[in-house]
């Protein structure tokens, strides 16, 4: 059927297109009485007579094939490609060409295969060439744009844009767009104009498209700045916008086109000449509502103005960093800081939040603040001193600090947008204060309080999915850029226990965040007051800072695949700190001179060099809270620099071998000596580590013996207590045992008395001047009695009761006086 398009007859060609559309149609056809399918029968063609003997009484009726089967046959036949090629034969038959375009539109609307076949025949280019031909019906341009849309959606977009990226196609699109823009007034015309603008935007993504050479880009830039900027150009002098939805959509497409074209640096000159930045800043400025009872000039409505304001801010975030001179000339910083101040004001403004850029800003100005802060971050992060100085002179630091603390004190629940704004504000502050001691000093105590507040964030929020991890990273970056390097702010940070918060964060933060935190701590170690704070920190289970750093060292070496034995000792003295990826690169070719080697890259890519630097500040001896495992690791950390130097020399030696260079004899001997010294150092460290393990084993054995002795003594005491209790119970229940105990006690007392050396010696009393000495069962007590001149009589004997608590317990009892039982005590008076 496609090949029949060669027949130079308009009716035949129209009938072929009609038949193809009928075959592709999803409408079920009716059957004739005799069962023959009558999908499409021209009136001029009569049905041939069928002999009656060919149909029996029980013959089956014929049914049409399914639509999917017919579509599959059409795709396999390559009909779409044939129809595109046949368009070259239809120069003088516009009606047939329109019918062919209608057929191609239908074939490309739902089939990827047909789109590929059309592109194979250069269909996009051929259709674009003829889209502006005279057409009384006005359908050629519409059908052509629809086919191009289908090819972009279902075909290869890169192939379509490549076919359209030539001067003829660009000129055809330019002519069609200008015609619809300047002459179209129906809703249909405005939609077609926007469709052509979308196709132009997709073509602009191709860097090889001659959009600028065709002067189409210059005209589009003119329309971007309309109606914000007045112009005497004839294209816009009499151009009127109705500010309806289609005009609003065109304005958004033009702003998007600016972002796409900004990738081509040659387009920046057009932006400069067209004052694009100035027009965008006009869109950014908040527009005051007209006084009540008065109608302002016709313009975008509130919802449209909000969406254009947000999209202009997003566009400036891409364009302004590329056009710094225009940005400064138009006082972009002032405009954005005023907009930021407007965002913090409380008024009757109610954000709609309907658009993509307005997400999360309904009922507030949060969306405007989000894109305003994002734009300021893009400008400040450029490192341009003129822009940053201008921001600083206008009080951006204090303004941003007030805003972020107001947001933190707001009762509203945190969401993704709020956390993004806070993180961006901290990044702006970091960019402004970095490498500038004066700005760091003005960051002051308010800034320190802000960073300390965010450092106290719970570590459970790191994995919330809202962006708390980005916020804590920006906070650490703010500490590094705004506090470190200024002793005034550093002292305030130390007073606020900032070092403790950083160490807590280092202990609990994820692995990918520890490098930044440890780097910040290392920078703060230059302050002599920091050391006392670092050593005073205690974590969980009384973990100290040296213990934490050594723990991180072991984790780092485990991830890097460093060779260690079961106890953490060096297992290979030839490779004491070598990583697995360094071993993989050993067998590769020689590296170029401008590329750092693996040993050098290792210093900046992991924590070990920073941990070693911190220990250089703390010292390697008399560190608190270290175990034997920590001391084993510390012996490696102490020699880290020696091992790293040996690695570098080893790489130099291997590089020379790979390049076939033999060093002179003194240099070769020096290389061998360095390698031997590194290996000897590793062996000495291994010996030291083994002695530490032996000492630990001895201490463990000694501790075990001490514990065993203590346990034995406790058991012995329990046995003695039990025996004493049994003896006491026996005395109370058996009079014979009690009598024996009494006799044993008396013998013991008697034997404890001193025996006179001479039996014939004279015994003298021991009472001297009113002192009475009483002896109780081995104990002697001296009691000063009352003088006789006060009592009026001779000195009376004093009765004393000895409270004796035997080992087996019992009640207190009063002992007899000296006249009753002289065996228990003896009283002598001496005058």
């Amino acid at each position: 059927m496609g090949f029949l398009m060669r027949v130079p007859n308009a009716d035949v060609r129209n009938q072929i297109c009609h038949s193809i559309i009928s075959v592709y149609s999803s409408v079920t056809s009716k059957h004739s009485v005799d069962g023959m399918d009558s999908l499409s029968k021209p009136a001029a063609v009569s049905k041939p007579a069928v002999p009656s003997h060919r149909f029996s009484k029980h013959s089956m009726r014929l049914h049409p094939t399914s639509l999917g089967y017919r579509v599959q046959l059409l795709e396999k036949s390559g009909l779409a490609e044939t129809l595109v090629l046949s368009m070259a034969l239809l120069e003088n038959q516009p009606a047939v060409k329109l019918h062919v375009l209608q057929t191609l539109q239908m074939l490309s609307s739902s089939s990827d295969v047909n789109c590929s076949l059309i592109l194979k025949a250069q269909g996009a280019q051929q259709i674009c060439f003829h889209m502006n031909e005279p057409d009384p019906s006005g359908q050629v341009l519409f059908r052509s744009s629809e086919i191009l849309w289908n090819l972009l959606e279902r075909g290869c977009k890169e192939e379509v844009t490549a076919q359209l990226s030539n001067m003829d196609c660009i000129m055809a699109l330019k002519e069609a767009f200008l015609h619809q823009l300047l002459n179209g007034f129906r809703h249909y015309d405005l939609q077609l104009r926007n469709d052509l603008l979308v196709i132009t935007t997709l073509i602009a993504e191709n860097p090889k498209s001659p959009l600028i050479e065709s002067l189409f880009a210059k005209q589009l830039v003119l329309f971007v700045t309309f109606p914000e900027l007045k112009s005497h150009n004839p294209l816009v002098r009499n151009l009127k916008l109705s500010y309806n939805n289609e005009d609003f959509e065109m304005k958004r497409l033009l702003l998007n086109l600016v972002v796409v074209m900004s990738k081509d640096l040659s387009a920046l000159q057009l932006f400069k000449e067209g004052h694009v930045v100035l027009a965008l800043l006009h869109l950014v400025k908040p527009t005051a509502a007209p006084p009540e009872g008065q109608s302002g000039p016709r313009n975008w409505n509130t919802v449209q103005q909000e969406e254009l304001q947000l999209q202009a801010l997003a566009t400036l975030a891409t364009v302004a960093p590329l056009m710094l001179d225009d940005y400064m000339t138009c006082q972009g910083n002032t405009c954005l800081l005023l907009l930021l101040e407007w965002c913090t004001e409380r008024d009757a403004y109610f954000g709609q939040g309907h658009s993509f850029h307005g997400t999360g800003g309904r009922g507030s100005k949060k969306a405007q603040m989000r894109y305003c802060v994002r734009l300021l971050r893009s400008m400040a992060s450029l490192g341009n001193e003129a822009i940053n100085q201008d921001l600083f002179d206008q009080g951006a630091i204090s303004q941003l600090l007030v805003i972020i603390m107001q947001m933190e004190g707001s009762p509203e629940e945190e969401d993704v947008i709020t956390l993004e704004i806070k993180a961006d504000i901290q990044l702006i502050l970091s960019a402004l204060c970095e490498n500038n001691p004066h700005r760091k000093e003005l960051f002051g105590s308010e800034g320190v309080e802000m960073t300390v507040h965010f450092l106290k964030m719970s570590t459970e929020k790191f994995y919330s999915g809202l962006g708390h991890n980005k916020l804590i990273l920006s906070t650490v970056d703010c500490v590094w850029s705004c506090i470190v390097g200024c002793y005034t702010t550093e002292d305030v940070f130390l007073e606020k226990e900032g070092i403790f918060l950083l160490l807590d964060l280092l202990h609990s933060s994820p692995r990918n965040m520890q490098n930044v935190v440890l780097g910040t701590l290392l920078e703060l170690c230059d302050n002599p007051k920091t050391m006392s704070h670092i050593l005073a920190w205690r974590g969980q289970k009384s973990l100290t800072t040296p213990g934490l750093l050594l723990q991180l060292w072991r984790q780092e070496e485990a991830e890097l695949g460093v060779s260690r034995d079961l106890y953490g000792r060096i297992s290979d003295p030839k490779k004491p700190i070598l990583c697995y990826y360094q071993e993989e690169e050993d067998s590769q070719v020689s590296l170029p001179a401008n590329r750092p080697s693996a040993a050098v890259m290792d210093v900046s890519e992991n924590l070990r060099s920073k941990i070693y630097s911190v220990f250089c500040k703390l010292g390697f001896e008399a560190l608190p809270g270290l175990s034997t495992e920590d001391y084993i690791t510390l012996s490696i950390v102490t020699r880290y620099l020696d091992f790293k130097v040996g690695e570098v020399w080893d790489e130099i030696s291997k590089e020379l071998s790979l390049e076939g260079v033999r060093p002179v004899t003194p240099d070769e001997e020096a290389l061998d000596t360095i390698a031997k010294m590194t290996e000897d150092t590793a062996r000495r460290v291994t010996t030291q580590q083994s002695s530490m393990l032996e000492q630990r084993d001895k201490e463990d054995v000694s501790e075990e013996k001490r514990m065993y002795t203590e346990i034995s003594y406790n058991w012995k005491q329990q046995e003695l207590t039990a025996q004493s209790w049994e003896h006491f119970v026996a005395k109370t229940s058996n009079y014979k045992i009690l009598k024996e105990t009494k006799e044993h006690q008396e013998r013991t007392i008697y034997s404890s008395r001193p025996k006179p050396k001479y039996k014939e010696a004279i015994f003298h009393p021991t009472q001297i001047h009113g002192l009475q000495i009483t002896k109780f069962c081995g104990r002697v007590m001296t009691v000063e009695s009352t003088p006789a001149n006060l009592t009026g009589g001779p000195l009376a004997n004093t009765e004393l009761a000895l409270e004796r608590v035997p080992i087996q317990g019992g009640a207190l009892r009063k002992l007899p006086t000296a006249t009753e039982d002289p065996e228990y005590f003896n009283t002598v008076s001496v005058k």
Side-chain angles (χ1 to χ4, degrees), residues 609-633:
S609 59
K610 293 182 176 63
I611 294 174
Y612 172 76
S613 301
V614 174
F615 271 109
C616 288
K617 301 287 185 179
L618 296 176
F620 296 95
E621 297 179 356
L623 297 175
L626 297 185
S627 62
T628 304
E629 183 182 15
D630 294 333
Y631 279 112
I632 291 174
T633 308

Side-chain angles (χ1 to χ4, degrees), residues 462-487:
F462 287 165
Y463 306 98
S464 64
L466 298 178
H468 290 90
N469 53 342
K470 298 179 182 179
L471 180 60
I472 194 63
L473 271 177
S474 62
T475 304
V476 175
D477 182 68
C478 198
V479 174
W480 197 331
S481 302
C482 302
I483 296 177
V484 174
C486 178
Y487 283 146

Side-chain angles (χ1 to χ4, degrees), residues 479-527:
V479 174
W480 197 331
S481 302
C482 302
I483 296 177
V484 174
C486 178
Y487 283 146
T488 305
T489 53
E490 283 184 5
D491 292 344
V492 177
F493 185 71
L494 294 176
E495 291 175 2
K496 301 290 184 180
E497 299 183 352
I499 293 296
F500 294 162
L501 296 175
L502 286 177
L503 288 170
D504 291 337
L505 180 61
L506 181 65
H507 186 206
S508 59
S509 63
R511 175 68 185 82
N512 53 3
M513 196 180 293
Q514 292 172 346
N515 205 337
V516 180
V517 179
L518 189 57
T520 307
L521 277 172
L522 179 59
E523 292 292 334
L524 286 170
C525 287
D526 291 337
N527 191 328

Side-chain angles (χ1 to χ4, degrees), residues 264-482:
D264 187 358
L265 296 181
S266 58
L268 299 180
Q269 183 63 30
L270 297 178
F271 294 166
K272 184 178 181 64
E273 295 173 359
H275 306 288
V276 172
V277 174
L278 180 60
L280 293 174
L281 290 175
H282 272 289
L283 284 173
V284 164
K285 293 179 180 179
T287 304
E292 186 177 357
Q294 300 181 9
S295 60
R298 189 176 184 184
N299 206 334
W300 308 109
N301 60 39
T302 305
V303 177
Q304 292 172 343
Q305 187 174 356
E306 176 189 347
E307 294 190 21
L308 291 178
Q309 182 186 32
L310 294 174
Q311 189 169 356
L313 285 169
T315 305
L316 277 171
T318 303
V319 177
L322 303 175
M323 305 180 66
L324 299 180
D325 293 339
D326 287 20
Y327 177 82
M328 294 299 294
T329 302
C330 299
Q331 298 181 351
N333 287 335
T334 304
C335 179
L336 294 179
L337 291 177
L338 290 175
L339 177 62
L340 200 59
E341 183 179 357
W342 173 78
C343 292
T344 58
E345 294 177 354
R346 297 183 179 274
D347 51 24
Y349 181 84
F350 187 88
Q352 300 299 320
H354 295 317
S355 64
F356 168 78
H357 297 95
T359 303
R362 182 169 179 79
S364 64
K365 305 173 185 178
K366 189 181 296 185
Q368 285 85 349
M369 180 179 289
R370 175 190 187 185
Y371 283 95
C372 181
V373 171
R374 182 183 294 182
L375 175 55
L376 284 172
R377 184 203 67 190
S378 300
M379 302 308 298
S381 60
L382 295 175
N384 186 283
E385 186 57 29
I387 293 177
N388 292 349
Q389 185 63 38
D390 183 53
L391 285 171
F392 173 73
D393 293 340
Q394 298 190 50
I397 292 179
S398 58
Q399 183 177 354
L400 291 173
L401 286 174
V402 171
I403 291 174
I404 192 172
M405 294 310 295
Q406 286 180 352
M407 294 181 66
E408 187 64 19
S410 174
E412 297 181 2
E413 186 178 356
E414 287 184 331
D415 55 6
V416 177
I417 298 176
T418 303
L419 293 174
E420 179 185 342
I421 294 173
K422 294 177 183 178
D424 286 342
I425 288 177
Q426 290 181 342
L427 292 176
I428 296 171
L429 293 171
S430 300
L432 292 178
C433 297
E434 189 175 9
N435 301 325
N436 195 309
H438 178 57
R439 296 175 191 170
K440 291 181 180 181
E441 187 174 356
L442 293 179
F443 185 74
S445 58
E446 294 181 359
V448 173
E449 290 179 0
M450 181 270 295
T451 56
V452 168
H453 173 78
F454 285 106
L455 285 175
K456 293 179 180 179
M457 184 189 306
S458 174
T459 56
E460 297 177 356
K461 295 183 178 181
F462 287 165
Y463 306 98
S464 64
L466 298 178
H468 290 90
N469 53 342
K470 298 179 182 179
L471 180 60
I472 194 63
L473 271 177
S474 62
T475 304
V476 175
D477 182 68
C478 198
V479 174
W480 197 331
S481 302
C482 302

